[in-house]
Structures are given as C-alpha cells and as structure tokens.
Amino acid sequence: IFSLDQNCSTMLGFLWSVVVYSFFFVYYILKLLCFLILILLLLLWKHQGAILYQRHAPSRKRQLAYNPFPRVRTPSFYKLDFDDFFITTKDRVSIHCWLIRQPNPTECATVVCFHGNAGNIGYRLPNAYFMYRELQCNVVMMDYRGYGNSEGVPTEKGLVYDAESVLAHLLERNDINHNKIYLFGRSLGGAVAIDLAYRCCTRKLVSLSNDQVLVNDKKEMGHGQAASSSTNENNTQP
C-alpha cells in the first residue's frame, strides 16, 4: 500500500510539473508573438507611406522618362497641344503638370485629373486622351509630390497642398475659362478631388462613386448632347 501511494504521488507530481511547464511555455510563446506583432505594427506605421504611395510602380523608377512605352511618356505621342510646366506649392515643393489644350481652350471646360496611388501621370495619358476627344475639354494632369518628375515625398497634407496649388495656378491663367473648371479623381485621387472641392469650391458640388466618370453631361460641359457613363449606366447620377 505504501509503495502504491508513493507511486501515485510521484505520478501526480510529474503531471503537475508537466502542466506548470506547459503553462509557462505557452505563456512565453504568446508573449513572444505579441512582441513580434507589436514590432510588425510599428514597422507598418513607420513605412505606411511607402505602402500607400506606390510611386515607383510599375517601373522601378518614378520619372516619366523611365515609363516603358512612348504612349505613356508624353502627350506629344498623341499629337496634342499641351503646356508642360511646374508650380511651387506653399511649402516650396515643385510639382510637375500638363495642360492639354483644345483648339479653343477658353470656350470649353477644363477637367483637372487627380490620379491614383500607383504610377505617374504618364500612365493616365490614354484616359486623358479619351476625355480630350470625347468631352472636347482641356485636361490638366499633375503628379503629386514624390511622383513622376515632381519633387518631395508624398504625405496626406502634402497632397492637399499640391491640389490647392494646381487650382490656384489655373485661376491665374488667362488661356482657360475659370467658370468651367471640373475636378476628376480616381482611387486616391477621388479623395484628393473631394477634399479640394470642399475646401476651395463655393459652387455646386456633385459627388459620384469613385469608379464613374465625374462629368456625364456634355451640355454642362458646354456641348449639345449627353455623354455616356463609364462603368455602370444604370447607377450613374446626374
């Protein structure tokens, strides 16, 4: 009987040791995982700009000269009349822009295009040419700071400054109609366009979903007939 009790005590002690060591093992593993997750979150927070602003995509270099095809390097490929210029923002950053002009630039509307988070304005030239041809409007294209040939590093506040500076520059020009300036944004550019309209525009603001053409009425653009919507005619709003 004594031997049986001793064996039971030994077994219980062994099992208790296993439970205790297992508990501490799981505890330290969870502690290590929490530490690694914290480090990962800190790295994501520190480099969130590089994750959001894909300015080098799809090329390894962000400048327009490194775009892979001629049709996404310059409006000259489409034989368009355009003004290639730089503006300086309120925080002294130089921003690169194109103004693609119609033959009668002061008689038609001007659409300011704000592109998405990846790549420079060159990759949006086919879309700009479509707007130019179908809407018969001037098209303004600008690269955010850190994109394309623009200086600086992209930030949320910096993009606000870039958009405000472009609009201020357009209102100083005498070769466009100041009463027919429209803002168009896609993806990240949709947020930039809406923010700029909220801050600077006192006229009527129409907000559409981010994957639709901003202007779907050629009469409003100074022409005679309605234009079709981009992705879903049934959901396009006036």
Side-chain angles (χ1 to χ4, degrees), residues 24-207:
F24 280 104
F25 176 77
V26 173
Y27 170 77
Y28 284 112
I29 289 295
L30 291 176
K31 191 174 181 179
L32 177 61
L33 287 175
C34 291
F35 177 76
L36 292 176
I37 291 173
L38 179 60
I39 294 296
L40 178 61
L41 291 176
L42 289 174
L43 289 174
L44 289 174
W45 176 80
K46 182 177 180 180
H47 298 286
Q48 59 183 317
I51 297 172
L52 173 61
Y53 304 114
Q54 298 289 325
R55 48 198 177 132
H56 297 90
S59 303
R60 293 186 177 181
K61 296 186 178 181
R62 62 183 176 88
Q63 288 80 6
L64 289 162
Y66 295 100
N67 289 1
F69 307 109
R71 67 175 181 271
V72 293
R73 291 178 191 157
T74 172
S76 298
F77 177 85
Y78 299 90
K79 297 180 172 55
L80 300 174
D81 176 31
F82 73 102
D83 186 10
D84 188 330
F85 61 95
F86 287 83
I87 59 174
T88 302
T89 64
K90 63 173 67 176
D91 57 342
R92 312 302 298 173
V93 177
S94 183
I95 301 300
H96 179 231
C97 306
W98 288 328
L99 169 58
I100 304 174
R101 289 185 292 250
Q102 291 284 342
N104 53 341
T106 60
E107 299 176 11
C108 61
T110 299
V111 177
V112 187
C113 297
F114 299 100
H115 62 75
N117 70 312
N120 55 50
I121 53 177
Y123 294 105
R124 280 78 185 184
L125 273 172
N127 300 108
Y129 178 64
F130 177 82
M131 286 185 179
Y132 175 89
R133 185 187 64 198
E134 297 298 321
L135 300 178
Q136 300 178 33
C137 61
N138 306 315
V139 180
V140 177
M141 308 178 72
M142 55 87 70
D143 262 325
Y144 311 121
R145 60 186 61 205
Y147 282 79
N149 296 342
S150 296
E151 297 178 347
V153 176
T155 62
E156 182 178 346
K157 182 181 291 186
L159 266 60
V160 171
Y161 290 164
D162 299 344
E164 291 177 348
S165 299
V166 169
L167 181 59
H169 172 80
L170 293 176
L171 294 175
E172 293 176 354
R173 298 182 70 109
N174 57 9
D175 57 348
I176 64 171
N177 189 333
H178 297 167
N179 294 319
K180 292 184 178 181
I181 295 178
Y182 294 81
L183 307 180
F184 171 86
R186 174 170 291 171
S187 185
L188 173 67
V192 176
I194 291 173
D195 179 79
L196 178 62
Y198 176 78
R199 292 171 182 271
C200 302
C201 298
T202 58
R203 301 180 62 126
K204 181 179 69 174
L205 171 64
V206 177
S207 177

